[in-house]
Amino acid sequence: MYRKDKKNIAQKYGFNEEVKIIAGGGDQATGAVGVVKDGVLSVALGTSGVVFANSSSYRAESEARLHSFCHANGGYHQMGVMLSAAGALKWWIEGVNKSKDYTYFVEEEAKNSKFDEKLLFLSYLTGERTPHNDPDARGAFIGLNIQHERSDMTRSVLEGITFGLKDSLELIKGTGVCTDTIRVSGGGAKSNLWKQMIADIFNLKVETINSTEGPAFGAAILAAVGDGYFSSVDEACEKLIQVIDTKYPNSRNIDFYEKKYQKFKKLYPLLKKIEE
């Protein structure tokens, strides 16, 4: 930045000219700063769900269902966004069941519930962005019967959210990006059950790093690079990011979830016809 520009900005906003101004990024792009290597995928489990991939070259999805932008490391990224990820889980636990005990619902009830190939959940509670880009899309439980219990429905909610996230993965893979590792962040990253479920449904290794607050950590990394503490984003990530937990796909669950995912993909077009 030119000195005269900085002087004008300092006068306009009333701060010292020596304040350092370092470019950052949007919340999700900043949160995925650590995804600077090809083959590593970021999955943010916040109110919305974001699947984010790094690429050394620009790639665009043919129907513009992914965001494709410049990345913080000088390369590019592809990003898919579902509108109700952990937000759908919050609706189910807090809104419907009037509880805030996420540990009990997820790590105890859902963990001990049975695997059910016919019970499915669509997470489109506030419309959807990726892959359908439909503000009028709506959520649904499909396949309920009188034998189902609350724990089965909680597991179904988690599965449905994860299937929705996998939709973005499939689009990213379709642009030619290859991946073998997922790094999760956000509130959902606190759940061992959910991380294992992601590993099984995506059929990929799932890592948790030393910070689940991705955007704040990413902003700190960019600031350190901008201040000259590190020579590049890649160097900063190599030195600051540590993997503290890893989940591997359970071979007994991969085929089950793949068959269930194929059923999940058929639901939106069928239900869309009813809405019309």
Side-chain angles (χ1 to χ4, degrees), residues 12-219:
K12 181 177 180 179
Y13 293 104
F15 53 73
N16 191 294
E17 287 184 45
E18 300 306 314
V19 171
K20 295 177 180 179
I21 301 174
I22 299 167
D27 56 350
Q28 296 301 332
T30 303
V33 160
V35 182
V36 294
K37 294 181 180 179
D38 290 354
V40 179
L41 193 76
S42 167
V43 174
L45 300 172
T47 300
S48 59
V50 179
V51 181
F52 187 107
N54 173 75
S55 176
S56 55
S57 61
Y58 177 77
R59 302 168 189 264
E61 199 273 325
S62 59
E63 297 181 35
R65 291 172 291 182
L66 295 173
H67 305 265
S68 297
F69 296 118
C70 294
H71 195 17
N73 66 338
Y76 299 89
H77 72 248
Q78 289 76 42
M79 182 173 71
V81 181
M82 65 180 301
L83 297 181
S84 295
L89 184 63
K90 180 179 180 180
W91 162 80
W92 173 245
I93 294 176
E94 295 189 23
V96 176
N97 289 283
K98 309 304 179 186
S99 172
K100 292 191 177 182
D101 194 344
Y102 284 75
T103 299
Y104 176 75
F105 271 77
V106 175
E107 304 299 338
E108 295 186 38
E109 276 200 353
K111 183 178 181 179
N112 295 318
S113 67
K114 59 183 178 293
F115 282 68
D116 189 329
E117 63 182 17
K118 295 183 179 180
L119 180 58
L120 293 135
F121 174 74
L122 292 185
S123 180
Y124 311 142
L125 302 180
T126 54
E128 189 53 295
R129 186 182 304 179
T130 306
H132 304 302
N133 194 23
D134 181 0
D136 297 318
R138 292 295 176 260
F141 282 103
I142 305 294
L144 280 171
N145 66 50
I146 200 168
Q147 295 180 332
H148 284 126
E149 300 177 353
R150 183 177 69 184
S151 58
D152 303 316
M153 298 176 75
T154 302
R155 174 180 282 276
S156 179
V157 169
L158 291 167
E159 290 175 345
I161 297 166
T162 310
F163 288 147
L165 292 167
K166 185 172 180 177
D167 281 341
S168 289
L169 170 66
E170 295 300 297
L171 293 177
I172 289 170
K173 288 166 61 177
T175 68
V177 173
C178 297
T179 184
D180 57 18
T181 302
I182 298 169
R183 286 183 175 171
V184 294
S185 62
K190 300 174 184 178
S191 169
N192 286 315
L193 173 69
W194 203 352
K195 288 187 290 186
Q196 184 61 56
M197 185 180 289
I198 293 171
D200 295 344
I201 290 175
F202 282 44
N203 193 16
L204 294 170
K205 176 177 65 175
V206 172
E207 296 178 343
T208 308
I209 65 169
N210 50 324
S211 174
T212 59
E213 298 300 329
F217 193 32

